[in-house]
Amino acid sequence: MKKVLFFVLCALFALPLSAQKKKPATAKSTAALAKAENLTVEFIKNELYLFVNGKGKKDTIKLKSYTEPAKPATASITAFTAKGVKLHCISWTENTLIQTSERTEDKTTTYTEIYNLASKGKAFSNAQTTTKIKEIQYLDKLKNASQTVEKNRSEGLAFALNPNGDVSLKNKKEDRTLIYNASSNIYQDSKDLKKK
């Protein structure tokens, strides 16, 4: 009887030990969010990077760092020419959902940056946020009657890349055109350039 009891106890102690074996770790492959020519946009360890592969070396440009819950949803790379200089427009979006019992905010932020990869400089940067809000508004103090209200809120300027390489920025109050200045490698307001 003692031998059977000893065998059962040994089996019970051995069972949890065998169940806790670690599985071999598999390497996570990072899928590129966007690819064009020799460029890729990748999200690695809470940071968004632009990789430029060329002639045996790889240049890296860090686009943005993120906190744990946030990450980019989509990205795109567009090559274009402005004032005879080849530039690349990198854009990505982030989606954030904030939800309570009475209010839902679905926020989409679009980031746009333009780079001159020959000089490794950033020529332009813009962020625009669009928020769709859905909330319950009570019509009396006892909260017997309610209505659902939906509204949209925009922050920042909407970005558009023109065929000639100029940039248009618009919202309800303003409409600006920015022109690439090749000598300083930045986009400048067309009104400022006309003054000179």
Side-chain angles (χ1 to χ4, degrees):
M1 183 71 175
K2 290 182 183 179
K3 289 182 181 179
V4 172
L5 185 62
F6 179 73
F7 178 73
V8 170
L9 286 174
C10 289
L12 288 174
F13 284 118
L15 183 64
L17 293 175
S18 65
Q20 292 180 0
K21 285 184 182 176
K22 290 186 177 181
K23 294 180 182 178
T26 57
K28 288 185 179 179
S29 62
T30 60
L33 293 172
K35 289 182 182 182
E37 300 170 352
N38 61 339
L39 306 173
T40 57
V41 175
E42 297 181 26
F43 183 66
I44 302 170
K45 295 182 181 176
N46 293 334
E47 295 190 339
L48 188 66
Y49 292 101
L50 172 65
F51 292 107
V52 183
N53 299 310
K55 297 180 183 176
K57 65 177 186 173
K58 194 175 199 178
D59 288 331
T60 305
I61 298 172
K62 184 162 116 177
L63 299 172
K64 188 173 179 194
S65 295
Y66 288 86
T67 56
E68 191 61 38
K71 68 178 188 176
T74 61
S76 67
I77 302 170
T78 306
F80 67 98
T81 303
K83 306 294 183 206
V85 177
K86 186 171 183 178
L87 302 172
H88 290 84
C89 178
I90 316 299
S91 62
W92 67 94
T93 60
E94 298 171 6
N95 296 328
T96 308
L97 184 66
I98 301 170
Q99 207 165 14
T100 63
S101 59
E102 297 177 0
R103 183 179 173 100
T104 302
E105 287 189 21
D106 186 6
K107 186 186 293 188
T108 302
T109 304
T110 303
Y111 294 92
T112 306
E113 295 184 353
I114 297 176
Y115 287 91
N116 179 345
L117 297 177
S119 67
K120 298 179 184 174
K122 186 189 321 183
F124 173 79
S125 182
N126 184 56
Q128 185 211 8
T129 302
T130 304
T131 307
K132 295 178 182 176
I133 302 168
K134 187 176 184 180
E135 84 182 307
I136 298 172
Q137 292 181 344
Y138 293 100
L139 303 174
D140 63 342
K141 290 181 181 179
L142 299 175
K143 296 184 177 183
N144 293 323
S146 66
Q147 67 180 0
T148 302
V149 177
E150 293 183 22
K151 52 189 169 184
N152 293 325
R153 181 177 64 217
S154 293
E155 300 170 38
L157 299 167
F159 169 85
L161 182 62
N162 299 331
N164 63 352
D166 293 347
V167 168
S168 295
L169 298 172
K170 295 180 183 180
N171 66 10
K172 290 180 181 178
K173 296 180 181 177
E174 64 181 300
D175 184 0
R176 298 187 316 173
T177 300
L178 302 178
I179 299 172
Y180 181 67
N181 185 344
S183 62
S184 61
N185 191 38
I186 59 168
Y187 273 85
Q188 293 179 314
D189 198 316
S190 59
K191 294 175 186 175
D192 293 340
L193 291 173
K194 288 178 183 175
K195 291 177 185 177
K196 291 181 179 179

